[in-house]
Amino acid sequence: CNAANQPLLLYNKESKKFEEIDANGFPLGITEDGGYEELIVPVQKGDILTLYTDGITEAMNRKRFQYSLERLKKCIDTYAESSCKEIAEHIYADVNDFTTGTPQHDDQTLFLAKIL
């Protein structure tokens, strides 16, 4: 479940393709008894799971272009052989390069997990 946040990105190491896993449910903390849909998806060794806030994909540069989900995916694909820590560092560096000279307007949070 993702509590109405961005879909989980599942990077398949073998095919080098992404799947967006989205589940139904209220935003976290909106209601005490809000139900959450749970999804189970198969994963394989080397696959990468990424949770991220929209502050990553919606970070804007001086021309008011957004960083984008596609750019996030490209960064994950480029550094897929690296550790999760290194992938996150590359993503944050790429976002910072993209947004140079503009204020950060939202939180930027990442969680990566690699299937070993």
Side-chain angles (χ1 to χ4, degrees):
C1 64
N2 63 350
N5 283 297
Q6 305 305 311
L8 169 75
L9 279 182
L10 172 58
Y11 175 79
N12 181 289
K13 181 183 177 187
E14 194 172 299
S15 69
K16 297 186 182 286
K17 293 187 178 180
F18 287 89
E19 184 178 353
E20 294 178 41
I21 312 295
D22 202 4
N24 294 319
F26 291 99
L28 192 61
I30 294 292
T31 178
E32 283 186 33
D33 57 352
Y36 295 97
E37 177 184 19
E38 292 181 27
L39 301 175
I40 298 172
V41 294
V43 293
Q44 301 172 34
K45 184 177 180 178
D47 288 356
I48 300 169
L49 300 107
T50 305
L51 292 171
Y52 59 97
T53 59
D54 60 359
I56 298 286
T57 54
E58 295 176 2
M60 281 193 246
N61 65 12
R62 289 182 187 189
K63 295 180 181 178
R64 308 221 11 109
F65 290 114
Q66 293 185 346
Y67 182 78
S68 81
L69 180 58
E70 290 309 311
R71 190 163 175 159
L72 174 60
K73 289 178 179 179
K74 182 178 179 183
C75 202
I76 294 167
D77 180 53
T78 299
Y79 299 103
E81 296 299 322
S82 301
S83 70
C84 289
K85 179 182 178 189
E86 292 169 327
I87 296 169
E89 289 170 351
H90 285 293
I91 292 169
Y92 282 124
D94 195 42
V95 171
N96 287 335
D97 286 346
F98 180 81
T99 60
T100 297
T102 61
Q104 182 177 332
H105 70 279
D106 201 354
D107 70 290
Q108 296 177 346
T109 306
L110 285 169
F111 172 84
L112 291 105
K114 187 179 277 193
I115 307 302
L116 301 175

